[in-house]
Amino acid sequence: MPELKILVSREQIAQRVAEMGAQISKDFAGEPVILVGVLKGATIFLSDLARHIDLDCTFDFIGVSSYGARPTPDQELLGGWDSTGDVRVTKDVDSSLAGKNVILVEDILDTGLTLTRLRQILLGHKPKTFRIASLLDKPSRRKMPITGDYVGFAIPDEFVVGYGLDHAERYRNLPDVCTLVP
Ligand code: IMP
Ligand code: MG
């Protein structure tokens, strides 16, 4: 059985997500925002973040998967696989984002390939403003020059699960962010 160790506790997450929501409320004071969550990893983060945003706020979701070979669960865990950035949209947003304040909500910024492609897709809608909120960031893994505007925690290059993040679809329901050691 793989071993789970808490890396970011539920208390740390709760405090930081509240701060991020307050910052967004301040930055967009008086304006509506639309949160666009990336399925499925961002759903738990989005639902907590949204409750700390004191603005006219709506949600949308986008689903993506990478073309080509998916990593096996073992490859993914051992860090031997990078996404290709060749992203296929499996579920498009439901509403037009033209002229809106769009905040793309993601679970983790890793190589940056997925978010670089998503940014390109969403900027094609001609939003009024575009920001990225990511709960986690692994800066040491970055291959593309992209940064989050709102980042919860920078973490080392370790495979993590919980609070929405999965390994082969499991562990998304853990309340803490944990490292998964094979
Ligand atoms: P990127 O294109 O390499 O930035 O890939 C980002 C995506 O890879 C995230 O949305 C996650 O779905 C997944 N990912 C990257 N690192 C981890 C991790 O440590 N645990 C679980 N999923 C991860
Ligand atoms: Mg995943």
Side-chain angles (χ1 to χ4, degrees):
M1 277 295 281
E3 192 192 340
L4 292 165
K5 278 200 193 125
I6 295 180
L7 182 67
V8 190
S9 71
R10 63 196 78 182
E11 293 82 11
Q12 290 172 298
I13 295 170
Q15 192 193 334
R16 185 71 191 114
V17 171
E19 288 169 6
M20 293 170 86
Q23 188 64 50
I24 290 170
S25 307
K26 203 172 142 198
D27 291 352
F28 288 93
E31 297 212 25
V33 296
I34 178 159
L35 305 182
V36 178
V38 185
L39 295 172
K40 307 168 198 165
T43 51
I44 292 181
F45 173 43
L46 185 147
S47 69
D48 281 345
L49 180 66
R51 283 176 279 181
H52 290 285
I53 296 179
D54 188 17
L55 300 171
D56 173 356
C57 177
T58 54
F59 304 164
D60 208 329
F61 292 93
I62 190 162
V64 291
S65 82
S66 298
Y67 278 116
R70 293 288 312 152
T72 63
D74 284 349
Q75 276 175 325
E76 190 176 41
L77 201 52
L78 297 171
W81 187 86
D82 290 348
S83 67
T84 59
D86 204 358
V87 167
R88 181 166 54 102
V89 173
T90 55
K91 189 228 160 279
D92 203 354
V93 289
D94 294 331
S95 49
S96 166
L97 304 177
K100 299 198 176 155
N101 295 310
V102 173
I103 303 176
L104 182 61
V105 181
E106 178 57 306
D107 52 2
I108 186 165
L109 246 168
D110 187 32
T111 63
L113 288 158
T114 306
L115 274 187
T116 298
R117 181 71 185 114
L118 277 175
R119 176 173 63 182
Q120 191 182 23
I121 291 170
L122 296 182
L123 285 178
H125 285 245
K126 305 257 182 274
K128 179 179 177 193
T129 60
F130 179 78
R131 298 281 185 275
I132 292 172
S134 185
L135 178 73
L136 303 174
D137 187 5
K138 284 185 196 168
S140 66
R141 292 258 306 157
R142 201 76 89 255
K143 288 185 169 174
M144 298 297 280
I146 187 164
T147 51
D149 300 287
Y150 306 99
V151 171
F153 302 91
I155 62 167
D157 180 12
E158 288 187 79
F159 195 84
V160 291
V161 295
Y163 199 73
L165 291 113
D166 75 305
H167 177 244
E169 294 300 328
R170 294 177 64 209
Y171 306 110
R172 293 194 198 272
N173 58 322
L174 297 179
D176 310 290
V177 170
C178 301
T179 54
L180 188 63
V181 183

